[in-house]
Amino acid sequence: MTRLLETETSPVAGSMWTWPRYRIIESMLDSIRFEIDVSLHLREKNEFIPSDFSIRSDGLDTTYTSSPRCILDQPLLKFWYKLDRTFKVPRANIYFRISLKGGFDNLKSSLLTVLYIDLLRDELNEILYQASFALLDTSLYVNNYYLELKLWGFNDKLPAVLSTILTTTKNFLPTYDRFKVIKENMERLIKNTNMNPLSHAEYLKLQVFVPEILRCR
């Protein structure tokens, strides 16, 4: 292609709204070949896109929905439920708090627990990425002695996201390559922790007020 001057009157490609305008040289068309790269393909169907936006609270008995109520109480499991009658939107929130008994008994257990959570989060990254496009958000982190998993978004596909997360967690086995990367990131983070004055102050405060958390056995 060659750029045209304002004085040129030969046919050009473009429109009155574009500048500069260009003329296509016919001899160049024969040298242009478009080849489709076999590695390019459409994205797989997102199974988390919701289709049912009905409001489930309409017509239901709301006698016991003013506050959360326990609908399942077992020695190892307790389940609380609250029906939304205020905003009436097809969305839901699911919170899980899983006890990590023995996960922070000593320094080694603490490091292995955090390393496992980081590896699991890395394994779930692609799944959570797909879910985020369907406005289904998730959060997975350690809070004190508990692993907290939170899901919120359109209730139609929340069970599908939860099922995929639990299935992946059950069958999860990290590869050596990803283990090496996550382990190096964790080592670097630990080494740089006290370089931040705020983090250093928090560390010293824990030593004073919560010594059992940092005790090594």
Side-chain angles (χ1 to χ4, degrees), residues 116-183:
Y116 171 79
I117 300 302
D118 289 344
L119 287 167
L120 179 59
R121 190 183 292 113
D122 179 74
E123 181 72 13
L124 293 171
N125 186 57
E126 184 175 350
I127 298 172
L128 303 185
Y129 178 76
Q130 291 290 334
S132 66
F133 273 98
L135 299 182
L136 299 173
D137 297 310
T138 59
S139 174
L140 179 67
Y141 61 94
V142 175
N143 184 12
N144 292 330
Y145 298 101
Y146 297 92
L147 172 63
E148 295 195 354
L149 171 63
K150 299 181 179 181
L151 302 92
W152 63 96
F154 292 106
N155 51 265
D156 181 34
K157 293 298 182 178
L158 272 183
V161 177
L162 177 60
S163 177
T164 304
I165 292 176
L166 295 180
T167 300
T168 303
T169 303
K170 179 181 178 181
N171 303 320
F172 170 57
L173 184 63
T175 62
Y176 177 75
D177 291 340
R178 296 309 302 166
F179 172 80
K180 185 177 180 181
V181 171
I182 300 300
K183 178 175 175 290

Side-chain angles (χ1 to χ4, degrees), residues 64-145:
Y64 299 100
T65 59
S66 59
S67 60
R69 58 192 178 97
C70 184
I71 60 176
L72 181 63
D73 191 355
Q74 297 181 357
L76 298 178
L77 176 65
K78 184 173 289 189
F79 193 85
W80 294 81
Y81 173 76
K82 182 181 186 301
L83 179 66
D84 172 37
R85 291 284 294 176
T86 302
F87 301 101
K88 292 188 177 182
V89 292
R91 300 175 67 88
N93 298 272
I94 305 176
Y95 298 160
F96 292 92
R97 201 178 195 195
I98 305 169
S99 175
L100 299 175
K101 185 177 181 180
F104 293 92
D105 284 349
N106 51 61
L107 180 59
K108 181 178 180 180
S109 297
S110 301
L111 291 175
L112 290 176
T113 299
V114 175
L115 179 59
Y116 171 79
I117 300 302
D118 289 344
L119 287 167
L120 179 59
R121 190 183 292 113
D122 179 74
E123 181 72 13
L124 293 171
N125 186 57
E126 184 175 350
I127 298 172
L128 303 185
Y129 178 76
Q130 291 290 334
S132 66
F133 273 98
L135 299 182
L136 299 173
D137 297 310
T138 59
S139 174
L140 179 67
Y141 61 94
V142 175
N143 184 12
N144 292 330
Y145 298 101

Side-chain angles (χ1 to χ4, degrees), residues 38-53:
V38 295
S39 63
L40 298 177
H41 58 84
L42 294 176
R43 180 181 298 173
E44 295 182 0
K45 181 181 178 180
N46 192 336
E47 301 294 339
F48 302 134
I49 297 179
S51 58
D52 182 4
F53 300 97

